[in-house]
Amino acid sequence: MSDPFKQAAGNRKVLTADESAEGRLDAWLTAQVGEEFSRSRIKALIKDGQVFLRGDPVTDPQRKVRTGDSFELTLPEPEDPTPQGEDIPLDILHEDDDVIVICKPSGLVVHPGAGNWTGTLVNALIHHCSNTLSGIGGVRRPGIVHRLDKDTTGVMVVAKNDIAHRHLSLQFADHGRTMPLERAYQAVVWGRPRSLSGMVDAPLGRATGDRTRRAVKRPDSQDADEAITHYQVVERFHEKPDATAFASLVECRLETGRTHQIRVHMAHIGHPLLGDTVYGAGFKTKANLLPEEIRKIVNGFGRQALHAFMLQFEHPRTGEIMHFEVPLPDDMVELVEALRR
């Protein structure tokens, strides 16, 4: 049987379905291309009109593949996987020969990945630090020992050499149980937790059917990772006589460091973060209860209301306890002040 995968002129590939072909178009094309492109990328190319059948574009990713169908797939030019330095401003809190501590703004992705090959914190660090960053994290994550979500603001530390990287990684892996690492966040959540302080102990893993989301798992689930968050209510907004509130400012401290941990845990106990369209979309209509001026600010808050305000760690060379705190960014200050009104 002839190979169904042939290289066409330019950056087009021709793929012909044989008698064993079955299923929807995006899944079949992904299987034919292999690891070169993810299924989500193939799906996007289909919707963008980059797949043709007998000269006509096919834009339905769910179209059934039939024996004899010969598809032309237009592929984008390959992107350089090695990040390049970019002159992106950094808010530097501390820097020496071993570490650099920054305050990350909202909208800045930490390291390159699908859809964000440039304009990341790594690109900024490469430009600022030249070739002094630790290489343990690989070419796409030089010096990176922990991360914050794209729209989460706050303190981060980066390793400038391999010794610092190993030492810091041990501290983050320990999560402050036996070492001096501490991390604290401020979040604005819907409502008011029943207890003014407490602990959420709920294992996390990938959400079923969506690899970008996380979900609470049963402890005996194969993909369940231990996740523990401690929280304390700092301030309540529009508190009522029955001890409920419209929203609350909460301080969270991590005992583990899972992806989206605070966002998932607070949603799990019924108090998702304001502005979190992934884990708190169902709460957005609550803003309709507010006066118009405040409602506009709440509805216009374009990210999850989460800020990593404190980071403490042991310096990898001197052993000194390094402690950094940064105030709420301007957009969260505006949100809190509006809620206070």
Side-chain angles (χ1 to χ4, degrees), residues 45 47 65 81 122-123 182 188 193 205 241 247 259 280 287 296 321:
L45 290 173
K47 289 184 175 182
V65 177
V122 163
N123 297 108
E182 287 188 31
V188 181
T259 300
K296 287 182 178 179
I321 303 302

Side-chain angles (χ1 to χ4, degrees), residues 78-98:
E79 298 178 87
D80 186 356
T82 304
Q84 304 298 312
E86 297 178 46
D87 189 6
I88 300 171
L90 291 172
D91 184 359
I92 299 173
L93 306 176
H94 170 84
E95 183 175 11
D96 56 40
D97 292 340
D98 301 290

